[in-house]
Amino acid sequence: MLQKFCVLGNPIQHSLSPQIHLAFAKAMGIDLSYEKVLIDFEKGSDSNHAANDAFEKCVLNLIKKGYNGANVTVPFKEIAFQMADVLDKSAQNANAANTLRFHSSKVRAFNTDGEGFLKDIQTRLKFEIEGKKVLLLGAGGAAKAIVYPLYKAKPKSFALANRTLEKARTLAKNLPIQVVDFANLKNAPAFDLVINATTSSLTHAEIPLPNFNEGALFYDLFYAPKMQTLFLESAQKAGVKNISDGLGMLIYQAALAFYIWHGKMPMVEAVYEMLRSELDQKK
Ligand code: NAP
């Protein structure tokens, strides 16, 4: 029987999720549909409430229509977490959900962003985090999803910096993470892995660069043609040789959602190569 899935967000037009899931399904011989769903809501003084309302209505409607699951993107990851009947540990750790499974009218929530990020670093890029000095930039939704899996990967030291200091302090609470001053990163010791989980590359804003050790990897969660994000370009100009954007993370988080829904882990490499070459041809 055809299984039905979708990705929910606003905006949603840019989403590569249908392309990724349909490519996985074809390779694995699974019959499914997967589309983008724009959840519209009134933007204004009470837009949070309107967004949450619209999201809940949409999910109930999908269940009624016999959908098997959904991916969730900006700005609905928190409400997806709040409305779920059952929470996987991955969603609990992130306080947000990007993957929902519908079963017997119940919603089960997962978060595959953190694990997807780790898999991209460790499996595709073959970068060992254990024993390394790590700096995470940002304290928004993406940083929240990756902070715990990153800590579990046993870095030698773990530092966190965010433009708004208080948010970094809140995120670092209860974990052995040192909060460092975002504006004065040059005064912090050198790092082996620097992760940009801010939206600076999206808005084309320059952010301070830290000192780095030989062989350091600079990873931007944002993705762009030829990996030319402002953050990665600045890092290269400063002498960093090892860089990656977040396209691999996007594909791994999708692969982990696919595993949750179908019990089979798809091969990521071929889909990465396909999307990389399509993306790199864009201006
Ligand atoms: P978010 O929740 O809106 O958080 C934004 C973060 O960026 C906050 O820490 C904010 O700091 C910081 N920031 C914004 N503008 C800044 C600036 N000009 N200078 C310094 N810091 C700035 O966003 P998000 O959902 O976490 O997304 C973060 C990035 O991750 C985006 O580029 C997104 O595309 C990417 N992402 C990629 C994947 C993937 O699969 N590859 C998955 C999820 C997200 P304040 O706290 O000071 O406002």
Side-chain angles (χ1 to χ4, degrees), residues 35-49:
E35 74 261 24
K36 300 173 197 175
V37 174
L38 174 75
I39 301 184
D40 219 356
F41 57 91
E42 192 103 8
K43 297 196 173 95
S45 58
D46 204 13
S47 71
N48 240 354
H49 190 252

Side-chain angles (χ1 to χ4, degrees), residues 73-74 77-78 98 113 116-117 137-145 161-165 167-168 182 196-208 219-223 245-253:
T73 186
V74 177
K77 290 184 183 181
E78 278 167 13
N98 75 337
D113 280 336
F117 161 78
L137 301 171
K144 282 179 190 152
N162 189 51
R163 186 178 58 179
T164 309
L165 179 66
K167 284 199 206 163
F182 188 81
N196 182 18
T198 78
T199 45
S200 68
S201 291
L202 177 73
T203 57
H204 229 68
E206 194 101 43
I207 58 170
Y219 189 103
D220 197 341
L221 264 59
F222 189 69
Y223 54 85
D245 70 1
L247 183 66
M249 170 180 169
L250 177 79
I251 299 171
Y252 268 111
Q253 66 74 28

Side-chain angles (χ1 to χ4, degrees), residues 253-275:
Q253 66 74 28
L256 292 161
F258 191 93
Y259 181 78
I260 287 165
W261 292 331
H262 309 290
K264 291 176 185 164
M265 190 68 185
M267 296 292 281
V268 160
E269 291 77 9
V271 176
Y272 179 83
E273 292 309 327
M274 177 184 80
L275 289 183

